[in-house]
């Protein structure tokens, strides 16, 4: 077994990014509606609390989504299904168009609670009211109170992200908690 590399400070951000990347996550697209709708691929989405129902997403301070989320009262989250890797890549691509035009790439419906676009074919949808924001260094932690949550059994096989690559589940194994 190789000797673990020590984290020695900000200069090691590439190593830190690679090491964080060992933690497998799902992949979401976070959206805001309104007059300047916007969408961004995010894997920092995390369930936080059941009572009250809360979830968070961390957004880089230099991302366009940062300002959009800070200004909006609510946001949507689409948990991507395994065949939606192109959608994940598209909404992470800085060259995509802004505003309404970016949504021509994917089918969507406005969320009934927030009006935020919810992407068709997703494994689950959430709509959140912005509850609190917290300083997260070069990111801000946006904590949302869930207004709606919907799981779509037809798209049960969710897209994964680990070691800097998109993956699919090989074989699901159930955990009961
Ligand atoms: C698997 C995966 C997971 C990710 N998870 C996260 C995550 O959890 N959190 C996170 O923060 N990032 C995450 N990212 C990165 C994120 O998806 C990309 O950085 C994405 O491009 C950010 O989108 P954005 O629109 O907010 O910002 P940008 O990409 O900066 O902006 C998008 C477009 O808007 C233009 N633009 C920028 N600012 C303005 C402006 N003021 N006026 C007009 N046009 C402007 C840009 O030129 C670009 O065309 C992830 C990426 C991947 C692949």
């Amino acid at each position: 077994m190789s000797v673990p590399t020590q984290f020695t400070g900000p200069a090691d951000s590439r190593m830190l990014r690679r090491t964080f990347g060992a933690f497998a996550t799902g992949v979401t697209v976070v959206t805001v509606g309104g007059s300047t709708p916007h969408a961004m691929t995010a894997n920092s989405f995390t369930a936080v609390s059941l009572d009250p129902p809360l979830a968070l997403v961390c957004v880089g301070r230099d991302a366009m989504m940062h300002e959009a989320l800070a200004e909006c009262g609510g946001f949507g989250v689409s948990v991507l299904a395994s065949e939606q890797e192109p959608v994940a890549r598209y909404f992470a691509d800085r060259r995509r168009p802004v505003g309404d035009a970016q949504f021509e790439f994917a089918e969507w419906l406005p969320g009934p609670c927030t009006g935020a676009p919810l992407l068709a074919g997703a494994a689950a949808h959430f709509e959140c009211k912005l509850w609190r924001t917290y300083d997260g260094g070069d990111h801000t932690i946006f904590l949302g109170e869930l207004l709606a949550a919907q799981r779509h059994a037809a798209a049960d096989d969710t897209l994964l992200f680990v070691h800097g690559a998109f993956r699919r589940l090989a074989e699901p194994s159930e955990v009961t908690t």
Side-chain angles (χ1 to χ4, degrees):
M1 187 192 278
S2 61
V3 177
T5 313
Q6 298 293 310
F7 174 64
T8 56
D12 285 350
S13 64
R14 274 180 58 204
M15 185 278 275
L16 186 56
R17 188 187 279 254
R18 275 207 307 275
T19 311
F20 276 149
F23 182 65
T25 67
V27 184
T28 72
V29 173
V30 176
T31 50
V32 295
S35 54
T36 50
H38 196 60
M40 183 194 98
T41 300
N43 70 338
S44 58
F45 174 79
T46 303
V48 174
S49 162
L50 293 177
D51 186 15
L54 301 172
L56 68 78
V57 63
C58 303
V59 179
R61 289 184 183 277
D62 60 353
M64 206 178 164
M65 180 53 93
H66 191 273
E67 199 180 331
L69 267 180
E71 283 175 0
C72 81
F75 59 94
V77 178
S78 299
V79 179
L80 297 186
S82 57
E83 68 272 16
Q84 291 183 303
E85 180 180 332
V87 176
R89 289 184 181 279
Y90 175 80
F91 286 111
D93 186 344
R94 287 179 169 260
R95 294 162 303 176
R96 71 193 183 281
V98 291
D100 285 324
Q102 69 192 287
F103 291 99
E104 285 168 19
F105 183 81
E107 273 185 62
W108 59 276
L109 282 173
C113 302
T114 61
L118 300 177
L119 302 183
H125 290 132
F126 298 97
E127 288 186 89
C128 301
K129 183 171 89 176
L130 191 58
W131 167 273
R132 304 267 195 285
T133 61
Y134 299 98
D135 182 0
D138 59 9
H139 283 55
T140 293
I141 302 160
F142 292 92
L143 187 60
E145 181 182 20
L146 297 187
L147 302 174
Q150 199 175 13
R151 184 177 162 187
H152 306 289
D156 224 13
D157 191 10
T158 54
L159 185 61
L160 303 180
F161 192 70
V162 63
H163 294 308
F166 293 100
R167 302 275 178 88
R168 287 167 177 231
L169 279 176
E171 247 179 75
S173 78
E174 204 144 300
V175 175
T176 314
T177 53

